[in-house]
Amino acid sequence: MYQPDANLRAAGLQPDMHPLFDDAYLRSIYAGRTAGGATLAALWRRLVDLGQARHADLLWIEAELLPWLPWAIERAVLPRGVRYALDYDDAVFHRYDLHRLGPVRRLLGRKLDHMMAGSALVTAGNSYLADRAIRAGARRVEIVPTVVDTGIYCPAVRTGGDAPCIGWIGSPSTWTDYMAPMLPTLIETASRSGARLMTVGAVRAAASNPWLEQRDWSEETEVGCIQEMDIGVMPLDDSPWARGKCGYKLIQYMACGLPVVASPVGVNAEIIEHGVNGILATTHEEWDAALTTLLRDPDLRWRMGAAGRRKVEEAYSLHVWGPRLAALLADVADRARQ
């Protein structure tokens, strides 16, 4: 999770952060509960925050200001004369333009394209997202990958002796979309190899499965949970939404020194060097073979995990990208003051 304050201040900026949703909202989502009241409260807070932002040099917006409201409203509440930058680490636009309901597609399908076209900068977590911004007419687009703090996400000292653990971290929705279809294969592979299966964040969605060691997600415990794993997995389908993902799970796993197995969809195929820091697998047979190979060879797990850690340190770390992103935002803010 990116904590930008120090880098922004070092670049001469004075950040004032106003997240849309609070911790209580996140806990509700991960517990599988609806949060309609919290959403309305968050939108009201956002409107109040925007009223106070009219003297800012730059607004830095994650994806959009007012989810599920049309561009006309979004444009009306933007402080007049204040430049804004947008950041995307998911294909949020597909929430609207690929929605199953025609009225949603017609009303909101081009909303984020309008936002991109009016922005001073779009930072995108991968080329799929960047291409969308370019097609929308954004005047400046930069690819800034998802990163982690490698001082926090780091390998743990393992004592050995326990059965090896195949692990996954994510939300209930991503469990349902991507992990649930893979579960029979994972269970068969784990049972044949004497391995364990751990999930973090899918408690309600996977509650009935006795094969799983299920952990609640929290920011405070997620690193420790990943450090208990021996292999990290990230299955995806080859859909537009999945192609927009930025591989955050993989980067978390690799930073903690885990070898990874993942679908070769979108940025996954860039993060994973097949056979070096992980294995790309498409079919159920390929997933079974990849996991079986890693479960039977602790030395291979260590070598791949070490290679993954090096790659995160070089290409997906806060240390590397924090100053770069801060410099981009400082440049846009400086231009706004001129």
Side-chain angles (χ1 to χ4, degrees), residues 164 189 192-195 231 288-301:
T189 303
R192 190 175 60 247
S193 302
I231 302 167
D288 176 69
L291 290 168
T292 299
T293 297
L294 289 170
L295 289 169
R296 290 176 177 174
D297 193 338
D299 290 337
L300 179 62
R301 295 201 301 269

Side-chain angles (χ1 to χ4, degrees), residues 130-159:
D131 288 346
R132 176 66 175 245
I134 292 169
R135 292 198 305 273
R139 69 189 78 175
R140 184 177 181 185
V141 181
E142 302 283 350
I143 294 180
V144 177
T146 295
V147 302
V148 296
D149 186 337
T150 51
I152 297 174
Y153 290 85
C154 55
V157 176
R158 304 296 294 273
T159 58

Side-chain angles (χ1 to χ4, degrees), residues 38 51 103 110 144 146 176 194 207 224 231 250 253-254 266 269-270 281 315:
R110 300 291 295 175
V144 177
T146 295
T176 300
I231 302 167
L250 295 183
Y253 300 145
M254 292 163 64
E270 300 174 20

Side-chain angles (χ1 to χ4, degrees), residues 194-215:
R196 301 178 291 135
L197 291 173
M198 180 196 296
T199 69
V200 181
V203 174
R204 289 292 182 99
S208 63
N209 198 299
W211 257 96
L212 303 176
E213 297 179 23
Q214 299 180 52
R215 309 288 180 85

